[in-house]
Amino acid sequence: DECQWKGPFYFIQGADPQFGLMKAWTHGDTNNGDDEWGEEIKLAEQAVQAINKLNPKPKFFVLCGDLVHGMPGTRWRKNQEQDLKTVLENTDQDIPLVFVSGNHDVGNTPTRETIDDYCKNWGDDYFSFWVGGVFFLVLNSQLYFDSSKCPELKQAQDVWLDEQLALAGKQKCKHIIVFQHIPLFLKKPDEDHDYFNLDKSVRQEIMEKFHKAGIKAVFSGHYHRNAGGSYKGLEMVVSSAIGCQLGEDTHGLRVVLVTEEKVVHKYYSLNDLSSQGLEKELLNVLAQQK
């Protein structure tokens, strides 16, 4: 039923609630300074409350990785995960939650064990789903960043992705949209590689694959700032964090509107989304729903 187009809809994208980073960042100790996360709890609660008030409801709420700051095996990780789950349990039950794995969720160099642990806690590290005629793919971008300790898992995701794209090609979906934690690039497709984007050769291969498959947009986090650009009609959307900001942006969420022709989006501060809700133009488009 969800393979059929039924008219415009929207979803909410958030990224990097990252419980524990704000104190760690302030204290200049990002390895061990994450023993407090009261600020992040408040921001995540504000995000959930803002989403719950929206009318009509979003089709889903996707969190694009770095759910908590504690790396696999570190001291505060379990408590951070439990506190985030407690906040997210208050999300309206009619708004499904979609989780994307980030480097802090599976480790900078993931292993089978760290990925298994993530899957037990949050669900599969890669999967696909349909909403209203649109095909969505969730990827584990850490396998593109450094799969040296689990090359077989990267290969499995690659094979699966090719199968999914072939399937999408046959199904005549309206759009294909990808979620991953690490952006392909931040501003330009040929920018140099650093911590916040994917290696140039890996990136080129993925961009070309996505372009050929007709993927409309890739949504990610990781950068803790808003950014983005495009490659041959493929839009790369980088959203700032619900939690710790590393630039000039505000704590916020992205509202993504899907129409028959296009995918449009806007980043809202948590305060604005809480107090004002959706804009009139967006509500008018959603009112056209069949």
Side-chain angles (χ1 to χ4, degrees):
D1 186 43
E2 285 298 338
C3 297
Q4 305 305 310
W5 177 255
K6 303 185 187 82
F9 66 87
Y10 80 102
F11 63 85
I12 301 290
Q13 182 220 3
D16 303 271
Q18 206 159 340
F19 282 23
L21 175 59
M22 288 172 89
K23 182 183 175 203
W25 189 259
T26 313
H27 285 245
D29 181 4
T30 52
N31 292 328
N32 308 299
D34 60 334
D35 58 343
E36 287 175 23
W37 49 92
E39 276 305 300
E40 285 97 337
I41 289 176
K42 282 188 200 135
L43 290 161
E45 285 173 342
Q46 190 183 1
V48 167
Q49 286 158 9
I51 291 166
N52 286 348
K53 282 200 310 203
L54 295 173
N55 184 23
K57 293 185 199 307
K59 287 289 185 185
F60 58 89
F61 172 28
V62 57
L63 271 172
C64 282
D66 281 3
L67 306 172
V68 299
H69 183 66
M71 286 278 186
T74 57
R75 184 173 177 190
W76 303 107
R77 179 184 172 93
K78 286 273 175 273
N79 302 56
Q80 290 167 359
E81 287 187 322
Q82 191 47 60
D83 284 353
L84 178 59
K85 286 178 181 178
T86 301
V87 172
L88 292 174
E89 275 165 9
N90 293 316
T91 311
D92 187 307
Q93 61 187 28
D94 294 329
I95 304 171
L97 292 165
V98 178
F99 298 109
V100 182
S101 64
N103 56 306
H104 282 262
D105 305 312
V106 296
N108 284 327
T109 305
T111 64
R112 184 174 280 280
E113 290 70 33
T114 63
I115 290 175
D116 283 350
D117 182 64
Y118 170 84
C119 293
K120 279 194 203 95
N121 266 300
W122 303 100
D124 292 340
D125 60 323
Y126 58 90
F127 56 95
S128 64
F129 60 99
W130 286 86
V131 173
V134 177
F135 191 53
F136 293 92
L137 292 160
V138 170
L139 298 178
N140 179 349
S141 56
Q142 217 52 39
L143 295 173
Y144 295 126
F145 197 82
D146 183 358
S147 62
S148 56
K149 289 191 179 164
C150 55
E152 75 287 359
L153 297 184
K154 178 190 184 292
Q155 194 186 355
Q157 177 172 258
D158 287 344
V159 169
W160 172 86
L161 179 58
D162 288 342
E163 287 168 356
Q164 295 294 307
L165 293 176
L167 177 79
K170 289 187 193 122
Q171 291 274 13
K172 300 198 172 31
C173 49
K174 283 287 174 216
H175 308 292
I176 310 171
I177 293 173
V178 172
F179 300 118
Q180 60 188 57
H181 178 62
I182 300 182
L184 297 168
F185 58 90
L186 298 172
K187 295 184 172 109
K188 295 192 182 116
D190 60 350
E191 70 198 16
D192 288 341
H193 167 55
D194 68 16
Y195 174 78
F196 287 113
N197 60 18
L198 291 180
D199 182 80
K200 270 176 122 165
S201 58
V202 175
R203 176 198 317 166
Q204 188 57 42
E205 193 183 322
I206 298 170
M207 290 189 309
E208 206 38 45
K209 180 182 283 194
F210 285 2
H211 162 65
K212 283 187 175 138
I215 289 172
K216 190 63 61 92
V218 177
F219 288 87
S220 71
H222 189 51
Y223 192 42
H224 294 254
R225 288 159 278 224
N226 288 308
S230 67
Y231 171 82
K232 295 185 182 176
L234 165 73
E235 189 181 8
M236 180 68 244
V237 185
V238 185
S239 293
S240 197
I242 293 171
C244 188
Q245 300 299 313
L246 301 184
E248 304 301 308
D249 295 298
T250 50
H251 308 283
L253 294 164
R254 193 171 292 277
V255 174
V256 186
L257 172 66
V258 182
T259 72
E260 199 156 5
E261 294 79 35
K262 56 191 180 185
V263 177
V264 290
H265 50 86
K266 182 182 171 186
Y267 187 83
Y268 288 79
S269 73
L270 293 181
N271 290 341
D272 284 352
L273 198 61
S274 301
S275 59
Q276 292 155 31
L278 301 174
E279 289 170 349
K280 221 177 191 77
E281 300 95 293
L282 193 124
L283 293 169
N284 290 342
V285 174
L286 292 169
Q288 297 160 22
Q289 195 135 347
K290 289 172 191 168

